[in-house]
Amino acid sequence: MRNKFVLAMVLGIAGVAAPLSAHHSFAMFDQTKVLQANGATVRGFHWRNPHSFVIVDIKGRNGVTSYTLECNSTNLMTRAGWKFNTLKPGDKVDVVYYPLRNGTAGGMLKTLTLPNGKTLNGW
């Protein structure tokens, strides 16, 4: 009987710890730098948990680069005014984001301004 109790406890702890280990740290984003891109073109919008993503094409000195910007969960984004169909490919938006520390094209979305002038929080 005692062995079954110990086994149940171990499995219970492992079941709780597994989802926690799957979630990542935000240390990959440099939250001391805030970058902005006006007139970015939406390439894609992935509405999912645990985090949604906005993919935008940003014009730079060396041409156009695609940036994947991580957002919050769908629950928190809904509270901030987002919907699954808020963005469509081809939409022109202004984005403010925290860049990735390693310098690759991407980051954590801080705000996004729609063509109608409405600004939504991404995080």
Side-chain angles (χ1 to χ4, degrees):
M1 186 68 160
R2 184 167 192 258
N3 288 341
K4 287 182 182 180
F5 176 75
V6 171
L7 179 61
M9 290 297 292
V10 168
L11 291 175
I13 291 170
V16 170
L20 294 176
S21 66
H23 197 268
H24 66 82
S25 163
F26 294 101
M28 62 196 266
F29 305 113
D30 186 349
Q31 295 182 53
T32 65
K33 294 181 185 174
V34 178
L35 302 179
Q36 182 169 346
N38 295 326
T41 303
V42 174
R43 177 181 283 245
F45 179 43
H46 302 282
W47 181 258
R48 60 178 62 130
N49 280 313
H51 299 283
S52 295
F53 292 88
V54 175
I55 303 165
V56 293
D57 290 336
I58 298 174
K59 281 187 185 178
R61 292 183 196 138
N62 300 325
V64 177
T65 304
S66 288
Y67 283 71
T68 300
L69 302 174
E70 185 171 336
C71 306
N72 219 321
S73 68
T74 57
N75 181 32
L76 293 174
M77 290 178 73
T78 299
R79 292 180 193 186
W82 292 79
K83 296 180 184 175
F84 72 95
N85 61 354
T86 295
L87 298 173
K88 294 172 238 20
D91 285 350
K92 297 287 186 188
V93 296
D94 298 336
V95 293
V96 177
Y97 63 98
Y98 302 108
L100 289 166
R101 286 187 188 277
N102 66 8
T104 58
M108 180 171 70
L109 185 68
K110 185 173 180 350
T111 61
L112 181 139
T113 303
L114 299 168
N116 65 9
K118 183 177 182 180
T119 298
L120 298 169
N121 289 325
W123 206 265

